[in-house]
Amino acid sequence: MKYKSFLITLSIATLTACAVDSQDDTQTVANTEPEVVTQGRVRELTGQPPVDLPAIIATAEPVKDESRGDAGKTDILVRPDSSPALYERDVAESISHMSDQRLAVMKHSQVPAGMMQGNNIRRAVEPLYRENYRHFENQSVMRVLDNPVSTFSIDVDSGAYSNMRRWLNQGQLPPEDAVRVEEFINYFNYDYPLPESRNVPFQVSTEIAPTPWNNQTRLLRIGIQGYKVTRDQLPASNLVFLMDVSGSMNSPDKLPLLKQALTMLVGQLDARDSISMVVYAGASGVVLPPTPGNRKADILAALQKLQAGGSTNGAAGIRLAYQMAQQNFISGGVNRVILATDGDFNVGMASTEELIDLIQRKRKAGIALTTLGFGSGNYNDHLLEQLADEGNGNYAYIDRLHEAKKVLAEELSATLLTIAKDVKIQIEFNPARVSEYRLIGYENRMLNEEDFANDKVDAGEIGAGHRVTALYEISLTGSPGQRLPERRYQSEANSTEVHTASFSNELAHLRIRYKMPNETVSKLIQSPVMDSGINARGGDSFNFAAAVAAFGQKLRGGTFLDDFSYADIESLARQSRGKDPHGYRSEFMQLVSLAGTLDQAENIAQNLDEG
């Protein structure tokens, strides 16, 4: 019975993925009617005994002679209540911006033993193959009387979102630890007001409205928008490409994609910029000494000659890359090492702490580190995120060429130029007005209250044009939305009547600390959050951010979402999509639909096992 249910799960998952054509990389909508064909097929699979076929499983590793499907065909499950016009527009907009997602299959005998434990198609207890993710627990509901102050470091990384997309496109829901909700939210652009001048590098705005998944609570959104810099306004850049060419990178979604991605970045540079290339495998070496950015032929020739092979002495490569960056240091310019790898370091320094110590010292010397992740199977998400955080840089996962375009072309200024560092957010809730709160995401960015004013404590950076969003779900005092039980005893020291009379109209007090890039003393921005700012309904930007937050929470188990379903998330996103020039929001809705189908498939399989 487990074998049959495994077949059903994988068959349904396969129906939602994109087909492969070895001759045509153009993705189009399937010619057949998606709702009729796909749902009929699902009913057939779930209502009749499964056909005795060899078991298959989706994988990111290509198997040429077992690829199948027609060119440009996409079989997408449509919700029965979806408007055909909206559906067709979503698909057209999404696919026009999506690269071909290739699906390969492996026979049952080729699946690694660790993956064949029951219906282990989603959220495996252990990461797939040797993928490494940091474990963390979801944020808890906090009682304002006990913990009125919430402090955390900002995060502009986006790697968790594109990595999630890779998992879904290979027919599996991601492991829960691969999902960092704040990176999902911050993947998207929002219509935040721009700073009025560069004297303050970002503008802060807040909005409060009912929580879409719980009308008894309110959602507080804090938005930070950095000032924007055009390409010609960027200072001269000293960039060192540090590339992993070890044997583990010998896969189409690794080194070949890496070379294409960096080709896009090279196209953005000019004569003021300097490019160096360092590679590492069993040993490290310089393949391109500092070269002006306008000598593109020399840069691209060196890039295209790279081949994968050998073990991974990543630490030696990082040392050499920093040496190159130091030798060619540009005072007042951008000095940055860009590490591109799958993170599979297996030779080198004795410990991660030793590597981090080196990165911290170079950060203080003015050289930042950006990490770009590639591939699957042995991917080390935890290490790459950690190295970027310690290096005052950002972390992105490149799952396709369009993501490389987003990170290294569309958002180049944000990727390269830091406009504020050590940015910390602290919010103090008024117990007379707010009884409970829960920060959504930022689990591995939390700080102690005393860290906020301590300029020795490192925090996150904001790049030019970056935006940061933080969401709190709050319960107003006396409302039915409270999740924590009432206490029998309450000390006089914690009474809500103490020191609140003069702040009766404030829900909370927001404080933000930051440093200018070349300064060591932080500056403070602060303002109250008034109850008069509560809206009856959130705007489109607010609601789309809420939909993305709900999706991330759903993938992590949906503890606080009650009955809010994938269909509800998709509907909320559709109603609040707003402007979508690059198709990212339309694609998001397709990913939510795909995740819902995979989740349904697992539930069917589990029910069959229990039966």
Side-chain angles (χ1 to χ4, degrees):
M1 181 61 70
K2 287 187 177 181
Y3 176 77
K4 291 181 179 180
S5 62
F6 179 79
L7 263 175
I8 293 174
T9 302
L10 271 300
S11 298
I12 296 175
T14 303
L15 286 171
T16 64
C18 296
V20 174
D21 183 10
S22 60
Q23 298 180 356
D24 188 359
D25 286 335
T26 304
Q27 190 174 27
T28 60
V29 182
N31 293 327
T32 57
E33 177 63 29
E35 181 173 1
V36 175
V37 175
T38 306
Q39 296 218 49
R41 181 59 174 156
V42 171
R43 287 193 295 271
E44 177 186 344
L45 288 170
T46 58
Q48 299 179 8
V51 182
D52 189 13
L53 296 173
I56 59 174
I57 188 166
T59 174
E61 299 295 333
V63 186
K64 291 184 180 179
D65 60 345
E66 296 203 22
S67 298
R68 63 182 184 180
D70 297 327
K73 301 292 184 181
T74 306
D75 196 16
I76 304 174
L77 180 64
V78 184
R79 286 172 42 210
D81 59 345
S82 296
S83 163
L86 284 176
Y87 167 76
E88 291 174 6
R89 184 178 67 181
D90 290 347
V91 172
E93 290 183 11
S94 176
I95 288 178
S96 68
H97 296 280
M98 290 172 61
S99 61
D100 182 45
Q101 299 297 334
R102 298 188 176 278
L103 174 69
V105 296
M106 294 193 306
K107 289 184 179 290
H108 184 88
S109 60
Q110 295 174 301
V111 179
M115 294 177 60
M116 297 308 300
Q117 301 172 359
N119 296 299
N120 196 355
I121 183 175
R122 75 185 284 256
R123 294 198 197 104
V125 175
E126 298 181 41
L128 179 63
Y129 307 131
R130 292 187 294 112
E131 298 201 7
N132 184 16
Y133 301 96
R134 177 183 178 182
H135 175 69
F136 58 90
E137 299 294 335
N138 293 329
Q139 296 278 15
S140 301
V141 176
M142 309 299 290
R143 194 188 304 271
V144 175
L145 283 175
D146 297 336
N147 299 281
V149 179
S150 173
T151 309
F152 63 97
S153 164
I154 62 100
D155 182 13
V156 296
D157 294 342
S158 62
Y161 183 85
S162 49
N163 187 36
M164 169 275 298
R165 180 172 58 209
R166 183 259 301 184
W167 278 90
L168 292 181
N169 283 325
Q170 69 182 26
Q172 297 172 293
L173 288 172
E176 290 186 4
D177 287 338
V179 177
R180 292 183 291 275
V181 181
E182 72 276 8
E183 294 187 25
F184 281 36
I185 301 170
N186 290 328
Y187 184 86
F188 296 93
N189 194 11
Y190 304 100
D191 296 327
Y192 294 149
L194 292 170
E196 296 179 359
S197 72
R198 294 192 181 184
N199 296 331
V200 179
F202 48 79
Q203 176 71 32
V204 183
S205 60
T206 60
E207 185 174 356
I208 310 173
T211 307
W213 55 84
N214 183 355
N215 59 16
Q216 302 297 328
T217 64
R218 297 295 179 266
L219 205 59
L220 166 62
R221 184 190 69 175
I222 302 169
I224 298 176
Q225 175 66 60
Y227 71 76
K228 295 183 178 181
V229 174
T230 61
R231 172 65 193 94
D232 56 3
Q233 292 175 321
L234 278 176
S237 298
N238 166 33
L239 304 180
V240 180
F241 296 162
L242 173 58
M243 294 166 288
D244 183 352
V245 294
S246 64
S248 67
M249 293 290 288
N250 189 19
S251 173
D253 59 347
K254 294 185 180 182
L255 186 57
L257 180 57
L258 160 59
K259 292 195 287 188
Q260 289 179 301
L262 293 184
T263 297
M264 285 189 170
L265 176 56
V266 171
Q268 307 294 311
L269 305 176
D270 57 34
R272 300 175 305 147
D273 305 313
S274 173
I275 305 299
S276 309
M277 290 187 193
V278 174
V279 298
Y280 64 92
S284 60
V286 177
V287 297
L288 183 73
T291 301
N294 62 340
R295 293 176 54 184
K296 300 186 189 305
D298 294 340
I299 299 171
L300 295 178
L303 188 61
Q304 294 306 317
K305 289 179 182 178
L306 301 180
Q307 294 183 343
S311 58
T312 314
N313 192 350
I318 289 179
R319 279 177 168 157
L320 182 56
Y322 274 122
Q323 290 175 7
M324 294 293 295
Q326 194 68 58
Q327 291 171 8
N328 204 42
F329 191 87
I330 299 177
S331 180
V334 174
N335 297 277
R336 188 174 295 265
V337 173
I338 300 177
L339 169 62
T341 177
D342 57 11
D344 188 21
F345 290 11
N346 50 36
V347 180
M349 290 186 178
S351 67
T352 303
E353 288 73 18
E354 209 177 333
L355 186 59
I356 289 175
D357 180 66
L358 169 67
I359 293 171
Q360 289 174 337
R361 285 187 280 111
K362 296 302 181 182
R363 175 189 76 199
K364 294 175 182 177
I367 302 173
L369 175 68
T370 288
T371 58
L372 304 177
F374 292 83
S376 62
N378 61 337
Y379 185 61
N380 195 336
D381 169 89
H382 175 35
L383 179 62
L384 293 183
E385 184 203 15
Q386 188 177 17
L387 295 183
D389 291 345
E390 298 295 342
N392 274 12
N394 49 319
Y395 157 57
Y397 176 80
I398 309 298
D399 62 326
R400 63 186 191 184
L401 201 55
H402 272 74
E403 185 65 18
K405 179 183 177 184
K406 179 178 186 291
V407 174
L408 301 177
E410 295 169 5
E411 300 179 356
L412 180 64
S413 295
T415 300
L416 296 184
L417 181 62
T418 298
I419 60 172
K421 65 180 182 179
D422 292 341
V423 184
K424 307 169 187 175
I425 296 178
Q426 184 175 83
I427 189 162
E428 179 182 357
F429 290 97
N430 180 0
R433 303 307 310 276
V434 180
S435 61
E436 299 170 358
Y437 67 88
R438 176 175 66 92
L439 175 61
I440 299 175
Y442 294 95
E443 284 86 358
N444 59 358
R445 303 281 179 162
M446 300 307 295
L447 298 173
N448 296 323
E449 182 177 352
E450 62 270 21
D451 294 337
F452 181 73
N454 186 349
D455 286 347
K456 299 293 185 181
V457 176
D458 185 53
E461 283 65 45
I462 293 180
H466 260 148
R467 89 291 313 167
V468 179
T469 301
L471 296 175
Y472 282 91
E473 183 178 4
I474 62 176
S475 299
L476 301 180
T477 300
S479 74
Q482 298 178 178
R483 291 183 180 270
L484 300 176
E486 293 290 339
R487 289 180 171 172
R488 183 178 179 88
Y489 306 106
Q490 180 174 305
S491 68
E492 184 65 25
N494 283 337
S495 173
T496 60
E497 298 178 2
V498 178
H499 303 307
T500 61
S502 55
F503 307 117
S504 58
N505 294 324
E506 294 183 9
L507 293 177
H509 191 74
L510 173 64
R511 304 179 185 92
I512 298 178
R513 279 197 177 273
Y514 69 96
K515 299 173 188 172
M516 298 301 285
N518 297 318
E519 297 180 359
T520 57
V521 178
S522 66
K523 299 180 180 181
L524 176 65
I525 298 174
Q526 56 183 337
S527 65
V529 180
M530 310 302 292
D531 59 4
S532 58
I534 300 179
N535 301 318
R537 182 187 182 278
D540 284 348
S541 182
F542 178 96
N543 284 326
F544 190 85
V548 179
F551 183 48
Q553 293 176 87
K554 192 75 171 178
L555 292 175
R556 287 193 56 81
T559 304
F560 299 103
L561 295 183
D562 297 327
D563 296 327
F564 206 67
S565 66
Y566 285 106
D568 295 326
I569 296 170
E570 183 186 355
S571 176
L572 179 62
R574 187 184 307 282
Q575 295 166 12
S576 57
R577 173 174 47 193
K579 296 179 181 179
D580 190 23
H582 300 292
Y584 300 136
R585 295 189 175 197
S586 297
E587 182 194 44
F588 170 77
M589 289 180 278
Q590 299 298 319
L591 293 174
V592 173
S593 177
L594 176 56
T597 304
L598 292 170
D599 187 75
Q600 180 185 33
E602 182 192 74
N603 292 335
I604 293 172
Q606 287 179 344
N607 291 336
L608 286 173
D609 279 349
E610 293 172 359

